[in-house]
Amino acid sequence: MSRTARWRLGLGASAVLLATTGLPAVPAHAESVTDYSITVDPRTKGPAIDKTMYGVFFEDINRAADGGLYAELVQNRSFEYSTDDNTSYTPLTAWTVSGTAQVVDDSGRLNDRNRDYLSVGAGSSVTNSGYNTGIALEDGKKYDFSVWARADAGTTLTVSLQDAGGTLATARQIQVKKSGWARCKATFTASRTSTTGRLTVASSAAAALDMVSLFPRDTYRHEPNGLRKDLAEKVAALHPGFVRFPGGCLVNTGSMQDYSAASGWQRKRSYQWKDTIGPVETRATNSNFWGYNQSYGLGYYEYFRFAEDIGAMPLPVVPALVTGCGQNKATNDDALLKRHIQDTLDLIEFANGPATSTWGKVRARMGHPKPFHLTHIEVGNEEPLPTEFFAHFQQFRAAIQAKYPYMTVISNNGPDAGGTIFDTAWKLNQDAKVDMVDEHYYKSPQWFLQNNDRYDSYDRSGPKVFLGEYASQGNAFKNGLAEAAYMTGLERNADVVKLASYAPLFSNEDYVQWRPDMVWFNNHASWGSADYEVQKLFMNNAGDRVVPSRATTTPNVSGPITGAVGLSTWNTSAAYDDVKVTAADGSALLDDDFSGDAARWTHTGTGSWSIQDGQYVQTDTTAQNTMVSAGDPAWHDYDLHVKATKKAGQEGFLVAFGVKDAGNFYWWNIGGWNNTQTAVEQAVDGGKSTLMSKPGSVDTGRAYDVDIKVRGRQVTLFLDGQQWGSFTDDKPAEPFRQVVTRDAKTGELIVKVVNDQSSAARTAIDLGGAKVASRAKVTTLAAAPDAVNSETATAVAPETSTFTGVADTFTYTFPANSITFLRIRQK
């Protein structure tokens, strides 16, 4: 059989390959081996992979900026913390006072945009506690201190660093003259290492202080306003093609007004780029959507510089004046909309304009006369009001492309991978011939294994896809495996998916608002998660073009949906009655009218359940996932009937089926998402994915008849006797995925294989006649599925080796639970 004929036969050739190719013995440590084949067609060109294919998304979430990537060691350095940021905050959060000191907001301030300053009494001092356990110092390293100070009569400031064990550096004395606000500086050399340091500033006479700062001298590339070195280096090691910034929910939440007297100095604003440039003491702080303050010391200029330093394309996101992330409102202020459109045009000039232009001159004064070569800009983020958003987007796009026709203006498709919002937004984008659309989704590992083919059917002539945020729900190696399997599908569809970034990037372990995250850190150490190692492997081995290939699949018989039944609520009180489960043959499996007790039900969630007036009632309106379940996990092919009544709270009710345990089930979420959507969700190992969704709400006090019919893997749902919808959950979660690319620079074929199962994958590989060297460079990530990386242990790390058995047709056994890249040189 010719190689071309064998290629055309595709999967049918696998039996020939396995029968005629000598397979190595099963490794002694492997419990079992599954046989596969991969057939490569090196003579056919697949889609090109852009150098910008994989990138990173930085949002100031989990203290990613202040206390994280931004190297400043002093927390609340300008005394601007407020209850607008967090209800527990005061202007002296992170400070302690010895003697007398008070925060003042009056005309004596440093400048209008830095509203507060500290008035310190004679002989008094203030001490800052830094982030995490304190200010981290390293023996022998230099640290630069600065403060803006003012004194009516000259004074001496004594600045010291100490921890519970004593002095950490020789104290410094600074003279403050009677001459108005002045910036005072000193340098410290740490005399020992500590992670619990404190910075103290004492004044001999009455003085005013603002912008108290301590920076490590050793920052990433730029000082004095640089980036924390270990965190920046971890991003640089990925060699990302782009950096998306600054959000995220920071962009499309809060007031869209500026920070000025005219707007009442609003502190809960959307992230607006002009707030974040210029000298740091003139940058207005802001409330962060994630529950803390953002100083904007890390601002647009620093983002552009960082992207440039690591060779990445900058990709800023600007507000569309439609809020999301639960706020969900559209502005009808046309003047405000036009102002933001002009701000976006000004941003492009700041990035690309000559040093003689209005905003290019600002960039040049900050130290960068040359342009940043901005080519892509995104308008909006996950807006849940697609029609209102798109009306605004079209105005942004028209203005941007009229002045800068070379700019790619990116739209978005809302906050999930499907559903009504997604479908509406996608049609608007497609009809308007938008260049690129940003998709976001966070799903279970099973969803990623099931949806490797998501982009196979996308319109090749339609908008390109920017997968701006995605992750499976966890940081164990099983999450990285599922993401890796999915990424083979992204590469295979590189003609549609042009950009992709895992999200979020950073998390400070002591300030977590969101999990999972790619890189974790505290005040002195950082470590990459298993997901980080996966991203790094793909980013550093993307190749330039896909080489078409096919693989056999894993033999799998899924069987029917099995499981018990359940009842639950989410921020709601609800009553349930007349629960009946009937087998397909008509026999009763469960019949409970709650006229007695609830002994047949097991409570695995939160909340408070009790029998009240012949109903089973959950009364806590603040509890989430209050699951109770009944029945046999082996049940299949049954009808479930429930009578459900919402009593109070924000949402509707949840009726579960196919319940295996607390983390594995299906449920019909009726009136979810603040009583706006009804959907079927599947939970796998605690991570939920939406299978189908429609708009819908429930009325308080009304009894609803809920019926769910399960047959095999098909489910049909009825609400008050009317069919609401049906679905068939028969998509295999394929654990064996592969893609092949070519590296034009080295001439290598890169065979990338993900084996997400507990058995090794003995694989016959046919390179389709390609003349190749007999040795291949191998990089393998292999670990237990539940393995995680931490500050003290790296359970998931790449191992490199050499394989000497490469030929036109050869075999390779991929370890259980592994990701393997073979770089094979073509002759």
Side-chain angles (χ1 to χ4, degrees), residues 214-463:
L214 186 69
F215 254 86
R217 178 75 59 83
D218 188 18
T219 59
Y220 186 78
R221 297 289 181 96
H222 301 290
E223 53 181 85
N225 196 48
L227 306 181
R228 179 170 150 175
K229 195 170 184 179
D230 63 325
L231 295 182
E233 286 178 342
K234 279 187 168 54
V235 180
L238 294 169
H239 297 106
F242 65 87
V243 179
R244 176 178 179 249
F245 62 90
C249 289
L250 300 187
V251 169
N252 70 337
T253 54
S255 167
M256 300 294 166
Q257 300 289 340
D258 63 0
Y259 191 61
S260 66
S263 68
W265 305 106
Q266 292 194 32
R267 280 292 304 276
K268 290 188 174 183
R269 311 183 305 282
S270 64
Y271 195 111
Q272 299 174 48
W273 77 272
K274 288 179 181 177
D275 286 343
T276 75
I277 61 169
V280 291
E281 66 272 12
T282 67
R283 301 182 190 182
T285 70
N286 194 13
S287 171
N288 184 305
F289 173 83
W290 298 107
Y292 52 91
N293 178 274
Q294 48 193 338
S295 74
Y296 288 152
L298 175 59
Y300 257 75
Y301 178 76
E302 289 75 27
Y303 287 127
F304 278 126
R305 288 297 295 259
F306 183 46
E308 181 181 67
D309 288 342
I310 62 178
M313 176 181 78
L315 204 168
V317 186
V318 297
L321 275 71
V322 177
T323 57
C325 302
Q327 297 182 359
N328 306 354
K329 294 180 180 179
T331 183
N332 57 5
D333 186 335
D334 191 58
L336 184 61
L337 177 62
K338 285 182 167 56
R339 193 268 286 176
H340 275 266
I341 292 172
Q342 184 59 51
D343 280 356
T344 302
L345 297 176
D346 293 344
L347 170 60
I348 299 171
E349 183 176 283
F350 175 77
N352 293 351
T356 54
S357 64
T358 300
W359 289 100
K361 189 180 297 182
V362 174
R363 181 195 69 237
R365 283 201 301 264
M366 293 185 72
H368 202 281
K370 294 182 179 180
F372 285 116
H373 306 294
L374 180 66
T375 59
H376 291 61
I377 194 164
E378 183 172 356
V379 178
N381 169 77
E382 293 187 8
E383 280 71 23
L385 304 173
T387 303
E388 294 87 340
F389 160 74
F390 202 73
H392 288 186
F393 173 82
Q394 286 182 299
Q395 294 186 57
F396 276 88
R397 182 174 67 155
I400 292 168
Q401 294 189 333
K403 189 168 184 180
Y404 302 103
Y406 60 86
M407 291 293 299
T408 296
V409 185
I410 302 172
S411 181
N412 77 79
N413 265 6
D416 204 353
T420 304
I421 294 171
F422 180 92
D423 292 339
T424 302
W426 185 258
K427 188 175 189 313
L428 290 168
N429 285 310
Q430 192 163 38
D431 290 349
K433 301 186 185 319
V434 169
D435 291 333
M436 189 175 289
V437 177
D438 188 2
E439 295 188 359
H440 295 178
Y441 38 84
Y442 299 90
K443 301 291 185 180
S444 69
Q446 177 165 307
W447 186 94
F448 284 99
L449 294 177
Q450 289 177 317
N451 286 276
N452 177 274
D453 62 349
R454 175 180 175 87
Y455 297 107
D456 291 0
S457 59
Y458 269 50
D459 183 357
R460 284 14 226 179
S461 62

Side-chain angles (χ1 to χ4, degrees), residues 135-143 161-170 188-198:
I135 293 173
L137 302 174
E138 189 175 345
D139 186 19
K141 293 291 184 70
K142 292 185 180 298
Y143 298 84
L161 289 163
Q162 65 284 325
D163 63 8
T167 300
L168 292 170
T170 303
F188 292 90
T189 301
S191 56
R192 57 188 175 85
T193 296
S194 176
T195 61
T196 57
R198 299 290 187 268

